[in-house]
Amino acid sequence: MVLERVNIDLLPKWLSKIGTEKMGAKIMQKKGEVLAFSLQDLSLPALNILKQEALSAGGDLATPRDAILGEQKLYNALLIATHTQLEKIIYKCKIQPFGLKQIAKKLQSHLATKSSQSKIIMPIINITPDSFYADSRHSSKKAIEFIISLIDSGATLIDIGAASSRPGSELINPSEEKKRLKEVCEFIKKENLAKKVSFSIDTYNAEVADFALKHDFVMINDVSGIKSKKMLEVIAHYRAQVVLIHTKGTPKDMANLSEYTHLISEVDEFFAHKICELEAHKASRIVLDIGFGFAKTHAQNLALIQNLAHFRHFGYEILIGASRKSTIGAITSRQSPSERLSGSLALHLLALQNGADIIRTHDFAEHIDMLKILSAFNELC
């Protein structure tokens, strides 16, 4: 007899490998997926009922040591259950008082979410003189050469911007931004490059987004978090694809706006509100970006990557853009962005493993290699 421990993330492949019947495999996958949820400010009755329901389903609710005394009005807890057990807990909580119906509804949204099997590496092209990473700055001529090179290398989605969003940077006039983009946009349209690859415009100006979409771009990557009504009008007119980034303030002041009471919940609430707006304005595709480096401390950036799977309950793709940013420099003691490639690869790999679908990066070839390694590892079983 041979006994080997199995990586639980590869459970579906192992079930297939031993020839498990499909319906049985689906049931067993749910039993092998352990989920945990932090619950805050629960009333004592809600705490006690949820504890009882979790135990009866075979899961558990971790509670504070002093909860047995019942001396506080509100408590925090940690719900731990398999997918199957959670279904039972939700069913029971739907008919319970003390706010448990609302908890059941929120838990339900997390059950049907899965990360996309097809991951995308989105290369960055900056037609700017002041991007934080000097090697990413391109003239129009070099940008065109780079676009051709990326298409030849298999890129499927390219992000192009002409306004820096580095911390402390000033907003620029739309006319200046369009001037920087003009030659590249005209080349893309003239050569019908949109038939070979999708283009995303990195801009916070609705006028610039409109200009780019007229030149065959399909996606708007707005680092302001879609604040402008005019941007919503552009999205509606073109039925554009959108990257929805969480941020606060502007690049000039966002470093001073990183105070959160409940980081994950506040980002979640932002997404919920903005998704409703985008859906109402007929966005054809919504991609969520937690805003790594935008109004976040280094610890908050890492916490969002660590808890990335939380945001899958919206049912939309997740994009992460941590490429060569200061958090990587702070962790690795690499002061120059030019020295942060290995840190970028490590952090982006963790993001992919935690639920990211798209990685926005300055280093396309290196990230494609990383993706090939990850794919080979996941397909090994």
Side-chain angles (χ1 to χ4, degrees):
M1 184 189 75
V2 176
L3 184 149
E4 299 176 358
R5 181 168 175 169
V6 170
N7 182 340
I8 199 66
D9 292 335
L10 300 177
L11 182 59
K13 293 185 181 295
W14 278 100
L15 290 169
S16 176
K17 186 176 181 179
I18 66 171
T20 304
E21 192 270 330
K22 287 185 178 180
M23 184 56 68
K26 188 175 181 180
I27 294 170
M28 286 179 230
Q29 280 178 231
K30 291 182 179 181
K31 293 181 178 179
E33 182 183 2
V34 178
L35 305 170
F37 297 89
S38 169
L39 296 151
Q40 300 177 45
D41 298 332
L42 286 172
S43 67
L44 184 60
L47 187 80
N48 288 333
I49 293 171
L50 188 55
K51 177 75 171 181
Q52 179 181 328
E53 299 297 359
L55 288 172
S56 68
D60 209 337
L61 184 75
T63 60
R65 185 177 180 180
D66 61 354
I68 193 171
L69 301 175
E71 295 176 346
Q72 298 182 43
K73 289 185 177 180
L74 300 174
Y75 293 89
N76 297 336
L78 188 69
L79 178 63
I80 306 166
T82 66
H83 192 292
T84 300
Q85 291 163 353
L86 195 62
E87 288 177 334
K88 296 176 182 178
I89 295 167
I90 291 170
Y91 178 77
K92 291 290 189 69
C93 286
K94 282 181 178 179
I95 58 173
Q96 294 287 1
F98 307 111
L100 290 174
K101 290 184 181 70
Q102 289 80 5
I103 289 175
K105 185 177 179 180
K106 289 184 177 181
L107 289 172
Q108 185 72 52
S109 71
H110 286 271
L111 285 184
T113 58
K114 291 184 179 180
S115 181
S116 170
Q117 295 300 309
S118 178
K119 307 297 183 181
I120 297 171
I121 304 300
M122 174 198 254
I124 302 166
I125 297 180
N126 290 319
I127 311 172
T128 59
D130 56 349
S131 295
F132 81 95
Y133 176 38
D135 290 351
S136 72
R137 302 168 191 168
H138 295 281
S139 64
S140 294
K141 181 181 178 181
K142 286 186 176 180
I144 289 170
E145 292 173 352
F146 192 25
I147 289 170
I148 294 170
S149 172
L150 287 168
I151 293 173
D152 290 342
S153 299
T156 58
L157 177 61
I158 299 174
D159 194 46
I160 300 176
S164 176
S165 58
R166 76 185 192 285
S169 61
E170 299 282 354
L171 301 179
I172 72 168
N173 190 287
S175 59
E176 172 61 26
E177 198 175 349
K178 286 196 294 182
K179 182 180 177 181
R180 294 176 183 177
L181 287 165
K182 186 174 184 294
E183 187 176 345
V184 172
C185 287
E186 289 178 348
F187 178 81
I188 288 171
K189 191 169 183 67
K190 179 183 176 183
E191 299 298 324
N192 290 317
L193 296 185
K195 291 183 178 180
K196 300 179 179 180
V197 65
S198 296
F199 291 97
S200 165
I201 180 65
D202 180 0
T203 185
Y204 42 75
N205 286 314
E207 184 181 332
V208 175
D210 181 74
F211 176 76
L213 268 63
K214 282 179 180 175
H215 288 81
D216 295 342
F217 283 60
V218 296
M219 178 177 281
I220 298 171
N221 181 11
D222 178 0
V223 296
S224 76
I226 318 293
K227 286 182 180 176
S228 164
K229 289 185 179 180
K230 289 184 178 180
M231 188 67 86
L232 286 170
E233 291 171 3
V234 172
I235 291 166
H237 178 74
Y238 290 95
R239 299 291 177 94
Q241 301 176 26
V242 179
V243 175
L244 174 59
I245 185 172
H246 174 270
T247 187
K248 292 194 286 187
T250 68
K252 183 71 175 178
D253 62 5
M254 63 184 178
N256 300 318
L257 300 173
S258 59
E259 290 188 11
Y260 301 87
T261 303
H262 299 293
L263 174 65
I264 306 301
S265 294
E266 289 178 44
V267 175
D268 189 278
E269 289 170 9
F270 170 86
F271 282 150
H273 171 69
K274 288 293 183 178
I275 285 170
C276 286
E277 284 189 341
L278 291 173
E279 289 177 340
H281 285 80
K282 309 301 181 183
S284 61
R285 178 185 183 185
I286 299 173
V287 177
L288 305 181
D289 181 345
I290 49 89
F292 191 102
F294 288 81
K296 316 284 190 312
T297 64
H298 299 322
Q300 289 166 349
N301 285 328
L302 295 180
L304 284 163
I305 298 293
Q306 194 174 55
N307 294 280
L308 206 57
H310 169 88
F311 302 104
R312 298 217 62 85
H313 77 92
F314 288 109
Y316 290 112
E317 297 164 284
I318 296 175
L319 180 151
I320 296 297
S323 185
R324 297 182 181 268
K325 289 185 177 178
S326 61
T327 293
I328 295 169
I331 295 169
T332 61
S333 300
R334 303 288 186 182
Q335 293 186 358
S336 172
S338 64
E339 300 176 319
R340 299 173 188 165
L341 173 58
S342 57
S344 299
L345 287 165
L347 194 51
H348 282 154
L349 176 60
L350 290 171
L352 288 168
Q353 291 175 324
N354 285 351
D357 303 289
I358 303 172
I359 298 297
R360 181 178 179 273
T361 179
H362 300 94
D363 308 286
F364 180 73
E366 292 84 353
H367 278 73
I368 287 294
D369 286 349
M370 178 263 283
L371 198 57
K372 288 178 180 177
I373 295 294
L374 179 61
S375 297
F377 178 81
N378 289 337
E379 293 170 3
L380 186 60
C381 176

